[in-house]
Structure formats: C-alpha cells, structure tokens
Amino acid sequence: DVKVTQSSRYLVKRTGEKVFLECVQDMDHENMFWYRQDPGLGLRLIYFSYDVKMKEKGDIPEGYSVSREKKERFSLILESASTNQTSMYLCASSLKGLRELFFGEGSRLTVL
Amino acid sequence: GQNIDQPTEMTATEGAIVQINCTYQTSGFNGLFWYQQHAGEAPTFLSYNVLDGLEEKGRFSSFLSRSKGYSYLLLKELQMKDSASYLCAVRGYNNNDMRFGAGTRLTVKP
C-alpha cells in the first residue's frame, strides 16, 4: 500500500514563527503536492513538484515556499506564519502522468 | 483559470440513488476525478474519466461530457457509510496538476 506520511497531525504556532510541514511518501512517486483545505473552499493547490528540486506554483503560493531535495520528501515552509494560514494542510503524491492522488492524513495548523 | 462547481450539500435516504453533479471551466483538461472524504480523514480516490461516457465501478458510476464541461457521480443502493464529502477534481494539460471543487457533503439518512 502507498503510504504518505505527514510529520505532524496538529500544530499550534504563533504569528511570525517559521513553520515546517514535512511529507514523506514510500512509493517512489514523481509528483508531490501541497493543498490546504478550508470549509466552503475545498482543497486549494499551494505548490506541486514533479521531480527532485523542481517546483511549480499552484493557485495560492503567497506566504509559502517548498523544498524537494529528495524524491520521497516534500516540505512546505511558512516563512512567517499568519493567522490566515490557520488551516488543514494535505500532502499528496502520484505517479508521473497523474492517474490518482494518494493523500496523507493531514496537518491541522493553528496560528495564534 | 479554473472554476469547478458542485453543490454544497445533499441529503438522501438509505437504499436510494443519488447523483452529484460537477461542472467545470478550466484552461486545460486532461481528466476528471472523483474522491471521497469522510470527516476527519484524507480523501480517497473513487473514479476517473478522461473520455466521454459512463464508467461503472460497483455501486458507484461516474459520467463525463467534455463538450458540456460536466460530470456526475452516481451512487446506488446508498448505505449509511456513504455519508461523506465527494470532491470533483480536474487534471490539467501538463498532467502535473490537479485542482478540486469545494466538495459536496452527502448525508445519508435511515
């Protein structure tokens, strides 16, 4: 079974802190994605990566950056957390060609 | 740009049939996906359409009309465990991005 693991299920941070959200997949998938999910807005694409060291902006990249140094790991970075970044963050991976996404359990971030 | 629309909420009765619609307007299209998400859990893949027509998989079927920018997910013989959110998603031309609608929360009542 494909396993996508997100490092933290729940985080509470303060405004201005730097936040790292880590995601690891164990199926040698080329594509990895970061989404945020908010009530009424659904899943919104922040960034995706189709190869090591490659990244593409999604629909809402402002305030976020990403890192993909190894194929299995895709990190989301909030350089200076703000309260409007309080959300559920979902990582996903897929094979090249993108037939289906496999999601992690999610990281619920609260910024105070 | 991307615009993917689906109803916010639907209610149906156990044993019945329900159809969840999705319309999309996207700058590129290379496939439409449906995912199921139970409360507090990650989305899981249900179905995939890239050509027009109906794809059937057990109690679930999905239909696509590319010319109309329209899809639906059909759930038959509803069970209580089908209460969940159903997410419509469109894959872009470059095969490397997938964008989602806001989801339809389905409640199945006895």
Side-chain angles (χ1 to χ4, degrees), chain B residues 1-102:
Chain B
Q2 310 276 349
N3 197 28
I4 303 170
D5 292 315
Q6 47 184 134
T8 304
E9 293 191 32
M10 299 184 71
T11 302
T13 304
E14 192 175 15
I17 299 172
V18 71
Q19 177 174 313
I20 303 173
N21 296 324
C22 172
T23 58
Y24 63 90
Q25 293 174 312
T26 59
S27 55
F29 177 84
N30 198 17
L32 189 136
F33 296 74
W34 285 94
Y35 288 81
Q36 181 189 58
Q37 185 178 25
H38 285 100
E41 297 182 11
T44 54
F45 170 76
L46 280 180
S47 70
Y48 163 70
N49 296 71
V50 67
L51 300 175
D52 291 353
L54 189 69
E55 293 282 341
E56 297 189 77
K57 193 190 279 188
R59 293 190 298 114
F60 293 5
S61 303
S62 57
F63 171 83
L64 176 66
S65 169
R66 288 172 297 171
S67 62
K68 295 182 179 178
Y70 168 69
S71 173
Y72 67 72
L73 180 69
L74 193 71
L75 291 74
K76 304 175 187 174
E77 301 170 15
L78 279 172
Q79 301 175 10
M80 299 298 290
K81 67 178 183 180
D82 297 329
S83 292
S85 288
Y86 291 87
L87 313 178
C88 172
V90 173
R91 181 174 68 187
Y93 273 137
N94 67 7
N95 273 344
N96 284 328
D97 67 275
M98 189 168 320
R99 286 171 168 81
F100 287 77

Side-chain angles (χ1 to χ4, degrees), chain A residues 54 65 107:
Chain A
M54 305 303 290
S65 62
S107 299

